[in-house]
Amino acid sequence: MTCRDNLPFRLRRAGAGLLAMLSILAALTGAGGACAQATRFPTRTPSAASGTPWPANSFEVICYHDIRDDRIEDPDSYTVETRNLTLQFAWLREHDYHVITLDDIIAARRGARPLPPRAVLLSFDDGLESVYARAFPILKAFQYPAIVGLVGSWLEGSDVPGMRVRFGDSDVARTNFLSAAQIREMQDSGLIEFGSHTYALHTGIRANPQGNVEPAAVSRAFLPEAGRYEADAAYRGRVRQDLALNSERIEALTGRRPRVVVWPYGSHNQTTDRFARELGMPYGLTLEVGLNTPDVPLERMRRLLVTHDFTTADLARTLEEPQRPEALHVMHVDLDFVYDPDPVQQEANLSALLDRVKAMGVNTVFLQAYADPEGRGTASALYFPNRRMPMRADLFNRVAWQLRTRCGVGVYAWLPLLAFQLPAADPAHDHWVEAGAAGQGGDVRRLSPFDPAAREAVRDIYQDLSIYTPFQGLLFSDDATLNDFEDASPAALATYQEWGLPGDIAAIRANPDEFAQWSSRKSAYLTDFSLELAHLVAADHDGLTTARNLFANVVTNPASTEWLGQSLPQALAAYDYVALMAMPFLEEQRDGATRWLTDLVGRVAKEPTGLNKTVFELQSVDWARQNRAVDAATLAAQIETLKRAGAHSIGYYPDDFLNGHPALEVIRPVLSLKTFPGND
């Protein structure tokens, strides 16, 4: 009698997937004997795939960690029960997903052979013993290959009785991790490829004066005894040495040097990527979210992180839903409200902010990285170490990290593009945008984007922001504008002549064709400069998302491109998101705010990616009426208007967390992304 004949008839009719699942579970619980150990998932006839088709040669990577069934006794959010792992594998097989190897991906990128449709790469991080004891039998039963990331420092001392290693915040037994014999057996199966999960970078280091612990691979260590940050040369040496050591360790265990690096916490940057390539690891696994389409570099492959509460239904929804930009629900926060010269009060202010953000249930904070306590629109100082301007306090790192880790929100660093008040000693301090006629300049003083010295100063500021602070996105402020009389500085006039235009604004304005060309090229010039800065920041923040503030006039009045140097179609093409200032009182639409907002959404919807990529930012302060707070009920009604009109992403500016405005109980029900807001 066969193993299949031992099962009741009703289960035999339930299908091959259920049969294999039951057999595997029996083997893992000791009930299956020789029959269960010999189980292989049978080949099946493919069925019609459901969900949205993926682009050709796209693939998803799924990330697992610990596979065990004692989570109640030993809680860990990265633990997946054996039953759930088996159910997820069975669902993949039953729904015609094809589990592939890294070699398959490389071959597809080289044009040797295409990937199968709905291709999936499996990975297991940390090199835990449960991967051998529980995941490996399931992988063999399904004949599914996988990549397993090994942390070299956790593999040391396997022959030392009672050896313990530092794992996260705990000291755990060395036996919790794979042994050399288990590693060799898994490799000999032909199903497992071992990657480098670094030697000792899977930890946190002190990364600011306040003592926050942040990922070691991408953070400059703060040295309290010296009162400074780790030098760039020391940072680079530390990371490269670690990666080299782990490659040697894995080669000693397996006979093969790893070719893939699995970045701890998904954190990496262009420096770490370069070292990995130099050490023979051109392929990298991150924790960035999304499908790996052919344009995603293989040195930063995206992964879907599976946690203890991630069900098979969640897997299905994630893999089969259309790919589109995430909807953002945003609180726009002034760091000037957090800052206080008294450190104790400053920490109290930060606690108030964190409590409010968590209670509000949003997923994004636009966080000011510069100081402008007088509200002039120009940065007078910065909240991070830098080489060009005063630092009011080393605060942005602290607040951004706390928001990310305690509130679970994405943080966008909000910074001017041009409006920086450089110190008098700076060679570019007075290289301002100039108006071509008296009284026709903009409301905010800005450095000229055409002036090489001014551009260099702004580049230095953004590079220092990227080096010393953690964040997920970059928001360019509303100062990124040039009106229809700007810029008349010498450097700007010389640039216009290079464009084939007169070196005189009055002459340009007198010729309609030249005026239109001038307006268009200025708008593109501002966009190109912002993208140059974003590329600079991305060196330390791979996977960086970008957004830019635009005035509503750009949408409601086509002629405003000439007045402002901004363009909605151009911004939608250039950035991940457009933060549109949907502020009816600012635009003198007090009586017709509902109609105006509805019309604004309708106009944005006419752009192909308009609704998916536009954040409609409302105002919570009526600046035209002596900075009077907008009633929370009015703001909530405006949010509802935007949602009814079809807006996906919504936010407001500013959030006064110190005074509780807008009222949490009024705004949370319409802005929160939680299913049951307030039931935390």
Side-chain angles (χ1 to χ4, degrees):
M1 182 176 289
T2 66
C3 297
R4 183 184 178 100
D5 291 335
N6 284 326
L7 290 170
F9 179 75
R10 64 181 182 276
L11 292 185
R12 279 186 272 143
R13 296 213 32 196
L18 180 57
L19 170 64
M21 184 187 75
L22 291 172
S23 299
I24 295 164
L25 287 172
L28 291 172
T29 56
C35 285
Q37 293 174 18
T39 298
R40 292 292 183 272
F41 202 112
T43 303
R44 58 187 300 277
T45 302
S47 61
S50 60
T52 302
W54 297 353
N57 288 321
S58 296
F59 63 96
E60 183 72 70
V61 186
I62 303 177
C63 170
Y64 297 97
H65 286 78
D66 204 357
I67 311 301
R68 55 183 171 84
D69 302 315
D70 60 348
R71 185 178 175 276
I72 294 177
E73 295 80 14
D74 185 13
D76 184 345
S77 61
Y78 296 112
T79 293
V80 175
E81 292 182 353
T82 310
R83 176 179 180 276
N84 286 340
L85 181 69
T86 311
L87 283 169
Q88 290 176 21
F89 283 8
W91 184 89
L92 291 173
R93 177 61 61 87
E94 289 293 320
H95 291 80
D96 304 317
Y97 286 83
H98 300 83
V99 178
I100 58 172
T101 66
L102 181 58
D103 283 328
D104 294 325
I105 295 169
I106 296 169
R109 288 294 175 94
R110 292 175 176 171
R113 62 178 183 272
L115 289 177
R118 303 158 79 82
V120 172
L121 180 67
L122 301 175
S123 65
F124 293 82
D125 289 6
D126 297 350
L128 292 156
E129 194 272 344
S130 68
V131 175
Y132 173 82
R134 293 188 172 274
F136 188 41
I138 303 173
L139 291 166
K140 288 192 293 184
F142 281 85
Q143 283 295 284
Y144 278 175
I147 292 174
V148 175
L150 299 177
V151 178
S153 61
W154 296 343
L155 301 180
E156 301 292 4
S158 58
D159 56 348
V160 179
M163 177 70 177
R164 302 187 71 80
V165 300
R166 190 68 177 172
F167 181 61
D169 296 328
S170 306
D171 287 323
V172 302
R174 165 63 182 83
T175 53
N176 284 6
F177 300 91
L178 293 169
S179 68
Q182 290 168 339
I183 289 171
R184 284 191 289 270
E185 180 184 341
M186 293 171 74
Q187 179 167 279
D188 290 345
S189 73
L191 291 175
I192 306 301
E193 175 170 350
F194 290 101
S196 172
H197 206 20
T198 75
Y199 183 82
L201 295 177
H202 200 306
T203 188
I205 58 174
R206 179 170 179 167
N208 59 35
Q210 297 87 352
N212 284 112
V213 175
E214 300 173 18
V218 297
S219 302
R220 271 62 169 181
F222 183 79
L223 311 173
E225 65 281 359
R228 61 174 177 81
Y229 287 86
E230 175 183 35
D232 280 351
Y235 162 74
R236 291 192 296 269
R238 171 170 62 83
V239 172
R240 197 182 198 287
Q241 183 180 22
D242 180 283
L243 294 174
L245 179 60
N246 208 44
S247 287
E248 294 168 3
R249 176 66 171 137
I250 292 175
E251 184 177 26
L253 284 168
T254 67
R256 303 175 189 173
R257 292 183 70 83
R259 57 178 178 168
V260 58
V261 59
V262 184
W263 294 113
Y265 319 111
S267 298
H268 67 119
N269 55 36
Q270 291 184 12
T271 298
T272 62
D273 292 348
R274 183 178 76 252
F275 290 155
R277 288 194 302 272
E278 292 171 356
L279 293 166
M281 296 178 288
Y283 311 111
L285 298 178
T286 75
L287 288 175
E288 295 165 25
V289 177
L291 188 67
N292 291 285
T293 50
D295 60 311
V296 176
L298 295 186
E299 67 181 7
R300 52 177 186 267
M301 288 179 271
R302 302 164 175 169
R303 288 195 295 171
L304 170 63
L305 175 61
V306 177
T307 54
H308 77 277
D309 55 354
F310 192 87
T311 66
T312 304
D314 293 325
L315 180 67
R317 186 164 47 250
T318 303
L319 295 182
E320 303 209 344
E321 282 186 347
Q323 301 285 322
R324 73 179 187 187
E326 178 186 23
L328 304 186
H329 284 209
V330 180
M331 294 169 66
H332 204 140
V333 175
D334 280 351
L335 203 50
D336 289 332
F337 293 174
V338 178
Y339 170 78
D340 195 283
D342 178 1
V344 175
Q345 183 59 52
Q346 185 168 274
E347 282 298 300
N349 295 346
L350 174 56
S351 294
L353 171 63
L354 297 174
D355 290 344
R356 184 166 165 88
V357 170
K358 190 169 184 178
M360 192 69 78
V362 298
N363 62 0
T364 306
V365 169
F366 291 164
L367 183 65
Q368 178 189 25
Y370 63 99
D372 181 22
E374 297 177 359
R376 295 181 303 168
T378 303
S380 59
L382 302 174
Y383 283 114
F384 54 89
N386 72 96
R387 70 196 94 164
R388 304 300 292 242
M389 293 184 66
M391 182 176 69
R392 193 181 195 196
D394 192 349
L395 186 58
F396 184 86
N397 180 306
R398 165 76 167 165
V399 177
W401 184 253
Q402 293 292 90
L403 283 167
R404 181 63 173 170
T405 56
R406 286 186 52 185
C407 302
V409 298
V411 177
Y412 280 61
W414 165 36
L415 206 61
L417 181 69
L418 305 171
F420 295 98
Q421 179 67 59
L422 299 174
D426 192 290
H429 82 280
D430 59 351
H431 292 207
W432 300 112
V433 167
E434 298 179 16
Q440 298 298 327
D443 295 333
V444 177
R445 296 198 76 179
R446 287 145 292 140
L447 296 172
S448 172
F450 302 99
D451 186 277
R455 289 173 69 96
E456 186 63 28
V458 176
R459 276 194 293 265
D460 286 348
I461 288 169
Y462 271 81
Q463 186 169 44
D464 291 338
L465 172 77
S466 73
I467 290 173
Y468 295 110
T469 62
F471 52 90
Q472 292 69 53
L474 193 60
L475 172 66
F476 296 104
S477 192
D478 58 12
D479 70 301
T481 180
L482 292 170
N483 73 23
D484 51 337
F485 287 88
E486 295 173 333
D487 177 10
S489 66
L493 297 178
T495 301
Y496 306 153
Q497 290 179 304
E498 293 174 5
W499 293 349
L501 297 171
D504 178 79
I505 287 182
I508 293 173
R509 289 177 57 83
N511 184 313
D513 290 339
E514 291 180 340
F515 180 63
Q517 181 187 352
W518 179 61
S519 300
S520 176
R521 294 200 67 163
K522 283 195 302 176
S523 176
Y525 197 86
L526 289 172
T527 298
D528 289 345
F529 184 38
S530 69
L531 294 179
E532 177 186 336
L533 298 173
H535 179 74
L536 194 68
V537 172
D540 286 280
H541 294 77
D542 218 39
L544 181 80
T545 53
T546 56
R548 178 175 167 188
N549 275 134
L550 293 188
F551 289 99
N553 267 338
V554 173
V555 177
T556 59
N557 189 340
S560 64
T561 293
E562 297 174 351
W563 312 336
L564 297 170
Q566 296 181 346
S567 163
L568 178 63
Q570 185 183 92
L572 289 171
Y575 309 102
D576 296 292
Y577 295 96
V578 171
L580 186 64
M581 298 163 65
M583 301 177 176
F585 303 149
L586 184 66
E587 302 297 335
E588 301 180 353
Q589 299 291 329
R590 297 182 185 281
D591 297 330
T594 298
R595 183 174 61 254
W596 183 82
L597 288 169
T598 301
D599 178 66
L600 186 67
V601 176
R603 290 172 182 260
V604 170
K606 293 178 181 179
E607 299 293 334
T609 60
L611 291 183
N612 283 345
K613 298 182 69 172
T614 300
V615 182
F616 294 85
E617 275 204 285
L618 297 164
Q619 61 186 111
S620 63
V621 172
D622 192 345
W623 298 287
R625 292 192 174 181
Q626 299 179 329
N627 295 335
R628 185 183 305 170
V630 174
D631 180 70
T634 299
L635 187 60
Q638 292 176 356
I639 293 174
E640 291 282 36
T641 295
L642 291 172
K643 290 163 71 173
R644 284 195 301 270
H648 297 160
S649 297
I650 299 171
Y652 65 88
Y653 169 79
D655 183 80
D656 185 355
F657 53 90
L658 296 179
N659 295 301
H661 179 76
L664 180 67
E665 65 274 11
V666 177
I667 297 300
R668 177 168 58 187
V670 296
L671 190 63
S672 176
L673 287 162
K674 297 178 181 178
T675 305
F676 301 104
N679 294 339
D680 296 325

